[in-house]
Amino acid sequence: MQTLTLNNGVEMPALGLGVFQTPPDETRDAVTAALDLGYRHIDTAAAYGNEREVGQAIRASGVPRDDIFVETKIWISDYGYEETLHGFDKSAAKLGVDRIDLLILHQALPSDFDRTLAAYRALERLLADGRVRAIGVSNFMVDHLTALLDATSVVPAVNQLEIHPYFQQRPVLDFDNDHGILNQAWSPIGGITFYRGQGEERGSVLEDPSVTAIAEAHGKSPAQVLLRWGIQQGRSVIPKSTKRHRIAENIDVFDFALSTDELKILDALETGRRGGPEPADVTLAAYGRAIPEA
């Protein structure tokens, strides 16, 4: 497994398993399969409602805890200094761990950015206390990152973003690269594009002729090509699947390389169309919900 070095020296596997929208029982089985197949990075979130099952699968796997990189996220309802410290306690208890490897803020919450800043300062405290190994953010745009860097002391180790060939967010990627923030791709195989209907601008990226042609040339699947595209450009990728054969397929991406021309072809697929919610639309009124106690 290829690893990436975060800006504080912590090593993180380049590829992990994501469990967004995975029901609890399926989460336990998916994480069990992933660890059995060689994954050592699991990405979850308080808002996913499956941290407990992630922890159960980790403990039952027989893999030493120190060999598994556990990443989770604080939801906007738990922003604020004391609230975020308690959010850590809830997540750690559900996961059954004393220390979380990477803890990030799930959204920028631009409508109440003072709460976001207070939440990030709580992450800084957790980092200083050794309760987390690295801290970061998710779905932060350039203006959010600029404001965060101006008001806090620790540069985020990671910015988790929607990144696939149809939506690449190059200005954000460039800003992150310039400031030593690792780009981490959620929906790296364009899962968010699967649900576009007939007649909508470009459907699933997995069915794009450019992607399928490159896959055929390498004897790989379209999903493997898209994961390789992200990894070769220095990003962390966290594909989601609940099927063992897909989980196995997604980790089998370290035995081939895309050419410079193939990377350019994939880069040229940009549509500028976001699949997830606009960061500015994520407000407590629209998206706030209580995160249960452990």
Side-chain angles (χ1 to χ4, degrees), residues 116-138:
T116 304
L117 292 176
Y120 192 79
R121 292 187 183 105
L123 298 192
E124 291 181 314
R125 167 71 181 277
L126 292 165
L127 180 68
D129 289 349
R131 304 189 74 188
V132 299
R133 297 176 64 214
I135 60 176
V137 296
S138 179

Side-chain angles (χ1 to χ4, degrees), residues 188-189 206 211 215 221-228 246 249-250 253:
I189 60 174
L206 286 174
V211 176
S221 72
Q224 289 171 320
V225 166
L226 297 180
L227 293 171
R228 188 68 205 173
R246 294 293 186 197
E249 176 184 300
N250 289 343
V253 294

Side-chain angles (χ1 to χ4, degrees), residues 236-257:
S236 164
V237 294
I238 45 171
K240 169 202 169 179
S241 183
T242 59
K243 298 178 175 62
R244 185 181 176 93
H245 72 282
R246 294 293 186 197
I247 295 170
E249 176 184 300
N250 289 343
I251 201 175
D252 186 23
V253 294
F254 297 99
D255 60 350
F256 77 108

Side-chain angles (χ1 to χ4, degrees), residues 17-34 37 39 50 239-248 250:
L17 177 76
V19 295
F20 172 59
Q21 289 186 335
T22 303
D25 286 344
E26 292 183 31
T27 296
R28 191 183 300 109
D29 292 343
V31 174
T32 297
L37 290 164
Y39 285 70
N50 54 20
K240 169 202 169 179
S241 183
T242 59
K243 298 178 175 62
R244 185 181 176 93
H245 72 282
R246 294 293 186 197
I247 295 170
N250 289 343

Side-chain angles (χ1 to χ4, degrees), residues 134-152:
I135 60 176
V137 296
S138 179
N139 301 305
F140 273 52
M141 302 296 98
V142 170
D143 55 337
H144 309 140
L145 292 164
T146 300
L148 182 75
L149 293 175
D150 286 345
T152 58

Side-chain angles (χ1 to χ4, degrees), residues 91-105:
S91 288
K94 290 171 186 173
L95 289 163
V97 300
D98 295 324
R99 185 171 67 169
I100 291 170
D101 296 291
L102 175 60
L103 184 62
I104 65 180
L105 301 184

Side-chain angles (χ1 to χ4, degrees), residues 11 13 26 31 43 46 48 81 103 117 127 136 155 166 171 180 185 191 201 209 230 232 234 237 255 272 286:
E11 294 284 324
E26 292 183 31
V31 174
D43 171 78
Y48 297 171
Y81 188 81
L103 184 62
L117 292 176
L127 180 68
V155 176
Y166 281 3
E201 180 189 7
Q232 276 188 229
V237 294
D255 60 350

Side-chain angles (χ1 to χ4, degrees), residues 18-92:
V19 295
F20 172 59
Q21 289 186 335
T22 303
D25 286 344
E26 292 183 31
T27 296
R28 191 183 300 109
D29 292 343
V31 174
T32 297
L35 294 173
D36 182 54
L37 290 164
Y39 285 70
R40 292 298 181 265
H41 178 185
I42 308 297
D43 171 78
T44 183
Y48 297 171
N50 54 20
E51 289 174 308
R52 195 180 313 277
E53 289 71 27
V54 168
Q56 289 169 353
I58 288 173
R59 289 191 296 279
S61 70
V63 178
R65 167 66 187 95
D66 288 346
D67 291 349
I68 303 172
F69 193 94
V70 178
E71 175 178 2
T72 193
K73 311 172 193 71
I74 299 289
W75 187 239
I76 57 174
S77 304
D78 283 340
Y79 282 11
Y81 188 81
E82 294 297 336
E83 295 90 340
T84 296
L85 292 177
H86 184 55
F88 165 85
D89 290 336
K90 289 191 288 186
S91 288

